[in-house]
Amino acid sequence: ALLSEVLSDVEEVLRAQCVQHAVENNVPIEEVTMRIYQKIISESSPSNNDVISVANISDTDAKIVSAVSWLLLTEVQRSAALREANRLIIRFLGARKHAPACAVFEMLPPDTIEVIHREWSKEYQNTPLPPDDTNAVREYLCLQAYLDTHQAYSDWCSHSANRPSTPHCNPDRTITFSEQVAQEEKKKSYDMSLQRWEQNLTVQTQLTRDKMLNVLLFIDGGWLIDEVEGTDNTRIEQLEALRGQCIPSTTFLLVNVLRESGQDQAVVELCEYIASEQYQLYKLFNQQQLKDLLDKVYDSSIRCECDPLQYNAPAIDDTAS
């Protein structure tokens, strides 16, 4: 306990060096860093005086995010770091705090999964990862897919809003020859800009659609469904609650993207997946959400002259994940 108090006051640039000395002297450093991490988390509760930073993260949430760094000082603790980071991301997403959720995810090094497998194989060779680590890795991939979806949607919205402005001209005013030439050049420049914008929008729309389907139709059982059945009932309830929050919201975002890009038939096709017994996504919608979704599907079916009651051959690629 004393060592954890001392280490917690060490500047970040010196932590790795202190950890190295501790390891050389057979100090159980993983226990120490976990104690520091847990202390920071337990002492970090939101207050009315919280200051929101430029990154849209409060001071309290920033402390929680930075606490993860204590679990990244040794590779042998990477599996614990992954489980704790997942727990924080789920907590933030449940509170609809996407900025700190993304910040926690970015704290984890890109080689995290590789390190976990490597550290496990050092002692257990080719034996599969234990259930907790197996589920943590899948959970990490699920959360990554969801965060990627929101970034793609944000990029799509930004690009959609930046359509090139139409050149202004006054048809009632007589213009000189040089002015006419200048107007024609502006029109050519506008046409080229508009064409590039439309091409980029098509690409961004497809990318956003694919990433959203990757969440809705996540492989091997579904998004945030454990690979190995867990026994932590509290965690299972948290995951199910987040599924009930994020699956419907992602569906409505996808419907918006498809409708705004004129893909009304794809909206009708999407409904087939929501109603499918294979995915059982409809169970995550409340009655009002289902009504709102069906209203949008019906409206899209009219626009694309498609009968939703007769449609049973979805063409959306369910291998997007």
Side-chain angles (χ1 to χ4, degrees):
L2 178 59
L3 180 57
S4 66
E5 292 290 340
V6 173
L7 259 183
S8 63
D9 292 329
V10 174
E11 293 183 17
E12 188 169 353
V13 293
L14 299 176
R15 289 177 189 172
Q17 185 176 349
C18 291
V19 167
Q20 182 62 35
H21 287 312
V23 171
E24 291 172 354
N25 288 278
N26 298 317
V27 175
I29 194 62
E30 289 80 21
E31 295 180 16
V32 175
T33 53
M34 179 59 77
R35 188 189 296 271
I36 296 173
Y37 166 80
Q38 291 173 339
K39 183 174 185 291
I40 295 172
I41 298 300
S42 64
E43 294 178 351
S44 300
S45 57
S47 71
N48 294 331
N49 297 322
D50 254 359
V51 177
I52 304 298
S53 69
V54 177
N56 199 29
I57 301 176
S58 70
D59 287 346
T60 298
D61 290 342
K63 290 179 182 178
I64 293 173
V65 171
S66 65
V68 176
S69 65
W70 283 104
L71 305 180
L72 298 172
L73 295 174
T74 62
E75 291 192 342
V76 72
Q77 202 171 12
R78 192 65 62 86
S79 61
L82 179 63
R83 289 194 296 273
E84 292 302 323
N86 285 349
R87 187 175 290 115
L88 292 179
I89 294 171
I90 289 169
R91 167 179 164 181
F92 283 133
L93 290 179
R96 304 182 189 279
K97 294 182 175 182
H98 286 271
C102 289
V104 172
F105 184 87
E106 291 169 0
M107 289 287 291
L108 292 170
D111 66 348
T112 289
I113 295 178
E114 177 187 343
V115 168
I116 290 173
H117 280 280
R118 185 171 65 241
E119 289 298 316
W120 176 260
S121 65
K122 285 180 181 178
E123 185 171 353
Y124 300 99
Q125 287 76 46
N126 296 324
T127 305
L129 290 175
D132 285 350
D133 286 351
T134 297
N135 287 337
V137 167
R138 178 176 171 83
E139 194 175 279
Y140 169 83
L141 295 174
C142 288
L143 294 172
Q144 180 183 42
Y146 182 74
L147 295 175
D148 284 350
T149 288
H150 267 262
Q151 184 58 56
Y153 182 73
S154 177
D155 293 342
W156 178 83
C157 288
S158 176
H159 188 76
S160 297
N162 287 319
R163 179 189 175 98
S165 301
T166 305
H168 175 72
C169 62
N170 186 354
D172 297 328
R173 174 176 172 269
T174 301
I175 60 175
T176 64
F177 176 75
S178 59
E179 289 176 328
Q180 182 180 352
V181 172
Q183 283 190 2
E184 290 175 352
E185 287 299 318
K186 285 184 179 180
K187 180 65 167 58
K188 288 180 182 178
S189 177
Y190 164 75
D191 289 341
M192 292 177 61
S193 296
L194 181 62
Q195 184 180 28
R196 285 194 300 270
W197 177 84
E198 290 175 340
Q199 290 173 344
N200 291 334
L201 180 61
T202 298
V203 172
Q204 186 61 48
T205 298
Q206 183 66 34
L207 175 65
T208 305
R209 168 185 173 276
D210 290 347
K211 287 187 177 295
M212 289 183 172
L213 285 175
N214 189 33
V215 170
L216 298 178
L217 310 179
F218 204 86
I219 59 174
D220 296 335
W223 188 73
L224 283 187
I225 297 295
D226 283 339
E227 185 172 336
V228 181
E229 187 173 353
T231 57
D232 185 343
N233 291 331
T234 299
R235 175 178 169 277
I236 292 173
E237 290 174 2
Q238 289 176 337
L239 295 184
E240 191 62 20
L242 194 59
R243 277 170 53 79
Q245 174 183 314
C246 296
I247 293 297
S249 66
T250 300
T251 301
F252 283 108
L253 291 180
L254 177 54
V255 168
N256 181 52
V257 170
L258 294 174
R259 284 166 59 87
E260 288 296 321
S261 58
Q263 300 181 49
D264 287 287
Q265 183 171 329
V267 174
V268 180
E269 295 168 1
L270 175 62
C271 189
E272 292 289 319
Y273 288 104
I274 302 301
S276 167
E277 285 300 323
Q278 177 184 354
Y279 301 105
Q280 298 186 5
L281 298 178
Y282 63 89
K283 293 183 178 180
L284 299 171
F285 290 70
N286 61 38
Q287 289 299 313
Q288 185 59 50
Q289 289 171 332
L290 285 174
K291 181 181 181 303
D292 292 343
L293 179 60
L294 290 175
D295 286 344
K296 293 180 182 297
V297 171
Y298 179 73
D299 185 52
S300 287
S301 70
I302 293 176
R303 288 163 60 172
C304 70
E305 299 180 350
C306 172
D307 185 352
L309 298 179
Q310 298 298 321
Y311 197 89
N312 57 10
I316 293 180
D317 180 10
D318 61 355
T319 63
S321 55

